[in-house]
Amino acid sequence: MLIFVLVVLAVAIYEAWSNKRGALGGIINVLAAAFGGLVAVALIGMAMQAMLPYLHLEGSLASSQHALKYILVAAIAIVVLGSWMPLWAVNRFRD
């Protein structure tokens, strides 16, 4: 979870810095990126809840050595895209 927070924060700060935003623009970027990241995590969680009954795991996914465990780590990394989308929408309204 810490990595998720750091990645979303890095995306927001980088976008604010690269577009030379002020303090208020940086705060709006952090809020928009956090919202987008949380929505993406929620969607990944709902997809996992739908898939888990079909996996026939003995115990939790975290304790198993199932390949899906590692695929999910990569899917969570894609949350960065979920963070960029609200920033793109906010930038459309700013211009």
Side-chain angles (χ1 to χ4, degrees):
M1 190 59 137
L2 178 63
I3 292 173
F4 165 73
V5 171
L6 291 175
V7 167
V8 168
L9 190 61
V11 165
I13 291 172
Y14 173 76
E15 200 278 333
W17 175 73
S18 65
N19 289 324
K20 297 176 179 49
R21 307 272 186 234
L24 184 60
I27 292 170
I28 290 172
N29 278 1
V30 168
L31 293 176
F35 175 75
L38 289 175
V39 168
V41 165
L43 292 175
I44 290 172
M46 289 188 324
M48 277 306 303
Q49 287 296 326
M51 288 175 37
L52 279 177
Y54 302 108
L55 293 177
H56 306 294
L57 296 174
E58 296 176 10
S60 68
L61 181 63
S63 66
S64 71
Q65 295 300 321
H66 198 275
L68 186 62
K69 175 182 171 182
Y70 304 105
I71 293 170
L72 277 177
V73 172
I76 295 296
I78 295 174
V79 168
V80 173
L81 295 176
S83 298
W84 279 105
M85 289 179 195
L87 291 174
W88 174 76
V90 167
N91 286 335
R92 301 273 299 183
F93 288 118
R94 284 183 182 156
D95 295 335

